[in-house]
Amino acid sequence: MNANGITAAVGEPRPRVEGRLKVTGSAAYVADLPMPGLVYGWMVTATVSRGRIRDIDATDALAMPGVLGMLDHRNARRLNPDVAHHFGPDRSLPMLQHEVIEYAGRPVALVVAETPEQARAAASALRVTYDAEPHETAFSMNHPAIRPASTLFGPEANIGDLEAELAASTVVVDEVYHTPEENHSAMEPHVATAWWKDGDLYALDSNQAPFSISQVLASLFFMDRERVHIRAEHVGGGFGAKTICGAQLILAAMAAEHFERPVRVALTRQQVFLAIGSRPPTEQRVRIGADADGRLRAVHHHAAFAQSTLAEYIEWCTEQARTLYAAPAIRTELSAVPLDLLPPCTMRGPGATPGSFAYESAIDEVAERLQMDPLQLRLLNQPAVSPVSGRPWSTRRLVTCFEEGARRFGWAQRDPRPRVRREGNLLVGTGVAAAAFVAGSFPATATITAEADGTFSVKIGASDIGTGARTALIAVAADALGVGTERIRLHIGDSDLGANPGAGGSRGTTSCAFAITETAKALREKLGDPARPVTASVDTTPLINWQPAEERNTYSAVFAEVTVDPATGEVRVRRLLGMFAVGRVINALLARSQLIGGMIGGLSMALHEESVRDPLTGRLVTADWAGYHISAHADVPNIEADFVADYEPQDPSGFNGLGEIGNTGTAAAIANAVWHATGTRQRTLPMSLGRVIETVASRDRQEAIGVA
């Protein structure tokens, strides 16, 4: 309770403020919003992985009813070829600029008509012929084009004498792990409506970072950023795929200018797979050396990932090896393989999620070879300070996560031997994995106005992509101003509200909360003036400590129980428990929901998700939910997620982000449980029926002839 006798809003498990709108279907998403004079664009994508457009025959398409015209490389306006995004220059963003095809799924034309049905029919009548050229889409760590990845996130780790420590180790694990290309699969496909007025560009777009996307779009069109206005009021999921300036927005803006009408471009599910970036495949070699007592001596994590020839990207898989456990020698390497693919983009827990699968599987393999409890091994090797930098932690409650998780899960009753627990025909196993995710805040701008009616208008360019950010930020604003939540009027999802990082990197809410808190302080200093309204604005850029003395992370310990049918290879997750250290929790109801969603994503990664490309054509053959499987209700058990007491000293309110930490350790925990159930190690995701039954059958054959 604050000085005004009002119960604090932060810490209260309040339901989301827009929840009723969403469950009743009243929330207006981009595709729901009417627009006078609206016409529709339908995207046509390339069917070859590399080559050139020889001809586009639009005769039949342009003669069809309702068709206004078509854009392609012959008549589209010229865009900035040097535009950049998060990781640097991105030559995939200038669309319809030339006849060259760099990847299958590259937009080659946009047909515009009075109705979406007319646009789709005309697009189907378009005849595009190509001169196909040799392409390269096959990813491997042994690819001749492999090179060091960008060091935008800083240099890789290299401490101690790695080879000497490996040579002195009692046990050495040296294994290779694989994760496939994965798609975000947000419920709402990408859609944008764009129009021009008095030389300004306006757009409604399903994205999770309106301000940064307005920057990219302005650069593309050679405009001042202030003349580009992007709104994203409600967004039906993103998971990273909507942090980028998507094809739907670029093409809608080009068409709106060309046809002088508002244009809506809504991608189909298949087009999202083909034209919107995804998580790249990875191949990761992990070498770990340990003494007989379980003390780690050496860690070497070399991760490679696929990327496009068009743009730089980083899938930072080596973060876990730098953070989770102590060792005298730690070396990490990150490599990229440029291929004829569309540029990857961040997917929930980028780098850390595939990286934790490889690293935490390898840690379990060390425990297996030492015949040691895997939880005991992890507890034994906890570092007092950062293993690589030597800096202290701002806060580190990972051991508490392990201990409380083990107590709730009943880990002490676990028989450590693999393949001994059975229930009928099913093999039963349990596993554990840890994860860390780097935390912090990005610059953000907030404006708060004390209105004459006693309410407070809070304006900040935040994004709520289904996470409950609105509800959390209202609570933060109410407490910062010392009033009830009913007096807060929050305005978000608009690039005109000021610089903001959007929802991404597990920093959206912490960045916005920091800006709101500081703006509330500035406003309180002005409230002695009886005249209202009174307004204060703050930009947190100069307030952020870019080189703190302590390392800042969130942590998790995930415990899993699985059953495996050795006759079919079917894996079922029966229990998932996650304990999380994420700083002070703003709203446990929403935070728990977000973490459970992340754990479901990790489960889906472990057992189902895999994009597959035709080895001859390089084209994606799983570009829908019939071919690309995600976890359905029947696959998801009763999941428990909870928090250990934590407070982040680097944040003025004690907050940390939690958007990614739910995903990061889950797949590894499930993989470790599958080993415990079957006695066979799955080093390739997903753990599909065929992969599991093949390795289980191989073990059975070896046991039958006395090899194992």
Side-chain angles (χ1 to χ4, degrees):
M1 189 169 291
N2 63 26
N4 298 328
I6 298 171
T7 301
V10 171
E12 285 292 302
R14 300 167 184 255
R16 63 187 64 199
V17 296
E18 82 283 9
R20 181 175 293 275
L21 293 176
K22 289 183 174 179
V23 299
T24 59
S26 302
Y29 293 85
V30 173
D32 303 323
L33 296 169
M35 181 70 57
L38 183 65
V39 294
Y40 298 84
W42 198 273
M43 185 173 69
V44 178
T45 58
T47 58
V48 298
S49 291
R50 188 171 186 83
R52 292 177 178 273
I53 300 171
R54 181 191 304 170
D55 182 52
I56 300 179
D57 183 356
T59 305
D60 293 341
L62 295 177
M64 297 179 73
V67 175
L68 300 181
M70 181 189 74
L71 291 181
D72 61 33
H73 67 281
R74 298 168 299 186
N75 66 341
R77 69 148 312 151
R78 299 300 94 184
L79 299 175
N80 183 0
D82 300 319
V83 69
H85 213 323
H86 302 302
F87 304 103
D90 187 342
R91 289 183 290 114
S92 72
L93 292 171
M95 296 180 181
L96 309 185
Q97 300 297 288
H98 48 67
E99 76 280 7
V100 178
I101 303 300
E102 305 96 338
Y103 60 86
R106 178 76 151 152
V108 298
L110 186 78
V111 178
V112 178
E114 295 287 350
T115 70
E117 294 81 7
Q118 290 170 334
R120 181 171 192 165
S124 299
L126 207 64
R127 299 290 174 256
V128 185
T129 55
Y130 304 93
D131 291 322
E133 298 173 1
H135 64 268
E136 182 61 85
T137 57
F139 166 72
S140 167
M141 184 179 277
N142 298 319
H143 196 286
I146 192 170
R147 61 168 176 78
S150 168
T151 56
L152 182 64
F153 293 162
E156 290 295 308
N158 188 11
I159 64 168
D161 190 332
L162 179 73
E163 298 303 332
E165 294 291 348
L166 285 170
S169 297
T170 304
V171 165
V172 175
V173 165
D174 185 351
E175 300 293 351
V176 177
Y177 305 84
H178 300 85
T179 63
E181 180 181 352
E182 298 165 4
N183 192 272
H184 304 73
S185 297
M187 183 73 75
E188 176 200 29
H190 293 59
V191 56
T193 303
W195 67 98
W196 294 75
K197 182 179 179 181
D198 299 329
D200 282 20
L201 172 57
Y202 296 82
L204 308 171
D205 181 50
S206 55
N207 70 63
Q208 55 195 88
F211 185 83
S212 65
I213 287 174
S214 74
Q215 290 177 305
V216 174
L217 202 60
S219 179
L220 264 175
F221 284 82
F222 300 99
M223 299 173 63
D224 293 335
R225 197 220 62 81
E226 292 74 16
R227 305 200 71 175
V228 177
H229 315 271
I230 308 294
R231 296 209 313 270
E233 182 69 16
H234 292 289
V235 181
F239 315 117
K242 294 177 182 174
T243 59
I244 62 174
C245 189
Q248 79 287 346
L249 177 57
I250 299 169
L251 295 176
M254 294 173 74
E257 182 183 44
H258 184 88
F259 294 100
E260 299 182 345
R261 298 270 297 272
V263 176
R264 176 169 295 163
V265 177
L267 304 191
T268 65
R269 181 63 56 190
Q270 185 180 56
Q271 289 173 339
V272 172
F273 275 89
L274 295 175
I276 300 296
S278 55
R279 194 197 302 276
T282 74
E283 185 173 340
Q284 305 175 58
R285 183 187 181 193
V286 183
R287 294 191 293 166
I288 302 178
D291 286 334
D293 65 355
R295 296 279 182 183
L296 301 186
R297 297 184 68 106
V299 169
H300 179 208
H301 188 177
H302 181 194
F305 60 90
Q307 71 173 25
S308 173
T309 59
L310 295 175
E312 197 66 54
Y313 174 77
I314 306 171
E315 189 73 13
W316 195 27
C317 298
T318 54
E319 178 185 357
Q320 308 303 300
R322 304 160 58 100
T323 307
L324 287 180
Y325 309 111
I330 299 177
R331 182 185 301 168
T332 61
E333 298 176 69
L334 196 61
S335 299
V337 179
L339 298 171
D340 297 319
L341 304 170
L342 81 163
C345 69
T346 55
M347 182 170 168
R348 200 169 184 183
T353 299
S356 68
F357 161 68
Y359 188 58
E360 281 293 275
S361 293
I363 288 290
D364 242 51
E365 296 207 52
V366 173
E368 172 192 345
R369 297 179 196 190
L370 290 172
Q371 296 186 330
M372 186 175 183
D373 179 87
L375 179 56
Q376 180 186 351
L377 177 75
R378 289 172 167 86
L379 291 170
L380 180 66
N381 288 285
Q382 288 301 301
V385 296
S386 171
V388 175
S389 71
R391 292 189 294 166
W393 311 105
S394 62
T395 177
R396 186 180 173 100
R397 300 283 185 268
L398 180 55
V399 169
T400 309
C401 291
F402 276 134
E403 293 175 343
E404 179 61 15
R407 184 189 68 80
R408 296 191 191 190
F409 193 75
W411 187 265
Q413 286 72 53
R414 177 184 190 262
D415 188 325
R417 297 172 298 166
R419 205 179 167 88
V420 297
R421 183 179 167 192
R422 291 179 177 266
E423 293 183 7
N425 294 328
L426 300 178
L427 303 171
V428 184
T430 52
V432 64
F437 199 83
V438 64
S441 293
F442 290 134
T445 301
T447 297
I448 303 178
T449 299
E451 306 288 1
D453 62 0
T455 64
F456 293 84
S457 296
V458 180
K459 298 180 179 180
I460 189 162
S463 297
D464 192 332
I465 60 172
T467 57
R470 278 184 184 82
T471 310
L473 295 178
I474 287 173
V476 170
D479 283 5
L481 292 165
V483 300
T485 56
E486 74 282 355
R487 292 173 63 185
I488 303 298
R489 304 289 181 263
L490 184 69
H491 305 270
I492 65 172
D494 192 328
S495 64
D496 290 345
L497 296 177
N500 192 277
S506 291
R507 301 190 185 198
T509 300
T510 52
S511 302
C512 293
F514 184 16
I516 288 172
T517 301
E518 293 300 317
T519 307
K521 290 180 185 177
L523 182 65
R524 288 201 302 270
E525 295 175 358
K526 295 183 175 184
L527 288 181
D529 185 348
R532 299 239 182 157
V534 180
T535 298
S537 297
V538 169
D539 180 349
T540 60
T541 303
L543 304 177
I544 292 177
N545 183 359
W546 296 103
Q547 293 182 315
E550 300 170 325
E551 289 198 11
R552 178 176 174 182
N553 298 282
T554 56
Y555 301 93
S556 71
V558 179
F559 296 79
E561 180 179 298
V562 305
T563 63
V564 181
D565 187 334
T568 65
E570 181 182 24
V571 177
R572 286 281 179 180
V573 177
R574 197 151 67 178
R575 278 200 297 160
L576 273 179
L577 165 66
M579 294 301 302
F580 299 90
V582 292
R584 183 183 174 208
V585 177
I586 298 175
N587 183 320
L589 177 66
L590 302 183
R592 186 173 288 112
S593 175
Q594 192 168 355
L595 291 170
I596 289 173
M599 293 169 74
I600 292 171
L603 184 158
S604 194
M605 175 187 185
L607 301 184
H608 303 294
E609 298 190 38
E610 181 177 24
S611 291
V612 178
R613 293 185 178 274
D614 186 308
L616 295 179
T617 67
R619 291 161 55 182
L620 200 62
V621 296
T622 52
D624 53 44
W625 283 344
Y628 184 90
H629 293 174
I630 58 176
S631 289
H633 249 304
D635 302 303
V636 179
N638 184 24
I639 298 176
E640 183 180 356
D642 210 347
F643 314 94
V644 300
D646 196 17
Y647 189 94
E648 176 52 65
Q650 287 187 19
D651 184 87
S653 301
F655 302 147
N656 260 331
L658 50 79
E660 268 101 353
I661 193 66
N663 285 64
T664 45
T666 303
I670 294 170
N672 292 336
V674 169
W675 170 82
H676 186 234
T678 64
T680 59
R681 176 64 58 177
Q682 302 295 323
R683 300 188 182 96
T684 297
L685 294 184
M687 292 177 283
S688 57
L689 303 180
R691 289 179 178 133
V692 173
I693 198 169
E694 181 179 351
T695 55
V696 171
S698 174
R699 178 186 175 92
D700 290 344
R701 288 193 297 270
Q702 291 176 345
E703 289 181 344
I705 61 176
V707 174

